[in-house]
Amino acid sequence: MTSDAAASPSSRAARVKLAPSLLSCDFTQLGAELNRIVTADYVHVDVMDGLFVPNISFGFPILAAARRASPLFMDVHLMIERPERYLREFAEAGADGMTVHVEATPHIHRAVGMIHELGKRAGVSLNPGTPLEAVRPVLSDVDLVLVMSVNPGFGGQKFIPQSVERIRTVRRWLDELGSAAELEVDGGVTPQNARLLADAGATVLVAGSSVFGPQGPEVGLARLREALA
Ligand code: DX5
Ligand code: ZN
């Protein structure tokens, strides 16, 4: 059992990482928005190709600009078909970690290996409708597992409640392996459910609309931290 697994639920919650999603920020103010989230842990960068998900977001130039504007870990979530085609470019544009979907490639093991060969942290993700078993073959190879708690493609959607049990299951599998991989949850995360997710075993919370809301990102981040204290 890792020391994390042995820690009390409250001390674990206090150590949970926050990953604001740039998708919800004001792109006319990208540098300023990044300056306002320097107390976060990761910058979550959602790349969408209009094929894997029914939406197109942004690609290399925005990631490169964010990289220049922020010292934080760039956590790049690739919602694109056959992501292995573009891993090198995302690494060169400034990704620190890249997360690929099990549904997006028949070669998930190869994609994870390629991310490591590029010297980056490798994550694997699955959609709410995908059996959890799909990640098991690569679980001991990855640095992060991203459990989607909405159907990917858009910010501001409602959290799917069954995701909590899915997080608990992946938590148990990681603990059984003695894995120190991060367990990230993405979609509909708010101050109302943050504590529940941390207690279920999530170690990274992605939050778009609840950080970059009308109250401003400083307040959005503070509310999430308070919920985890
Ligand atoms: C959804 C993206 C999320 C999104 C989260 O496809 O992967 O990262 O930005 O947004 P909220 O927190 O608003 O659900
Ligand atoms: Zn995301």
Side-chain angles (χ1 to χ4, degrees):
M1 190 179 271
T2 64
S3 55
D4 253 16
S8 72
S10 60
S11 66
R12 254 190 284 132
R15 289 204 303 273
V16 161
K17 296 182 173 76
L18 297 181
S21 166
L22 277 192
L23 195 61
S24 297
C25 85
D26 177 354
F27 288 108
T28 69
Q29 310 289 331
L30 182 60
E33 294 281 69
L34 285 161
N35 281 334
R36 296 178 72 180
I37 58 163
V38 279
T39 62
D41 300 282
Y42 295 172
V43 177
H44 186 79
V45 181
D46 286 306
V47 178
M48 304 178 184
D49 66 353
L51 283 172
F52 181 67
V53 290
N55 195 9
I56 296 177
S57 57
F58 48 74
F60 313 122
I62 295 288
L63 171 60
R67 166 78 297 158
R68 289 196 300 276
S70 176
L72 294 185
F73 184 97
M74 290 291 151
D75 171 39
V76 178
H77 179 191
L78 294 173
M79 287 163 277
I80 66 177
E81 286 290 342
R82 294 184 45 233
E84 55 273 32
R85 294 174 297 156
Y86 294 111
L87 295 172
R88 177 170 296 281
E89 283 90 338
F90 282 110
E92 287 169 358
D96 293 303
M98 289 178 271
T99 297
V100 289
H101 272 258
V102 291
E103 306 89 352
T105 173
H107 300 295
I108 192 68
H109 184 272
R110 178 182 291 153
V112 166
M114 287 171 71
I115 296 170
H116 282 148
E117 276 163 28
L118 291 163
K120 306 300 173 186
R121 310 255 306 165
V124 67
S125 183
L126 25 59
N127 291 334
T130 301
L132 287 179
E133 288 293 332
V135 295
R136 279 195 104 159
V138 292
L139 215 51
S140 56
D141 300 311
V142 295
D143 306 296
L144 179 147
V145 180
L146 168 51
V147 174
M148 286 306 302
S149 44
V150 297
N151 289 296
F154 304 92
Q157 301 183 80
K158 204 170 156 305
F159 182 83
I160 298 172
Q162 293 92 319
S163 311
V164 177
E165 202 47 47
R166 286 163 66 81
I167 292 160
R168 285 198 189 102
T169 301
V170 177
R171 171 81 276 150
R172 193 176 70 243
W173 290 348
L174 290 172
D175 289 349
E176 282 165 7
L177 284 170
S179 168
E182 302 284 0
L183 177 47
E184 184 174 55
V185 54
D186 183 5
V189 173
T190 64
Q192 286 68 47
N193 61 20
R195 184 53 191 251
L196 175 69
L197 298 170
D199 288 346
T203 60
V204 185
L205 303 184
V206 176
S209 42
S210 66
V211 170
F212 293 104
Q215 79 287 344
E218 299 87 349
V219 174
L221 279 171
R223 294 218 171 115
L224 284 167
R225 291 269 185 231
E226 280 158 29
L228 294 164

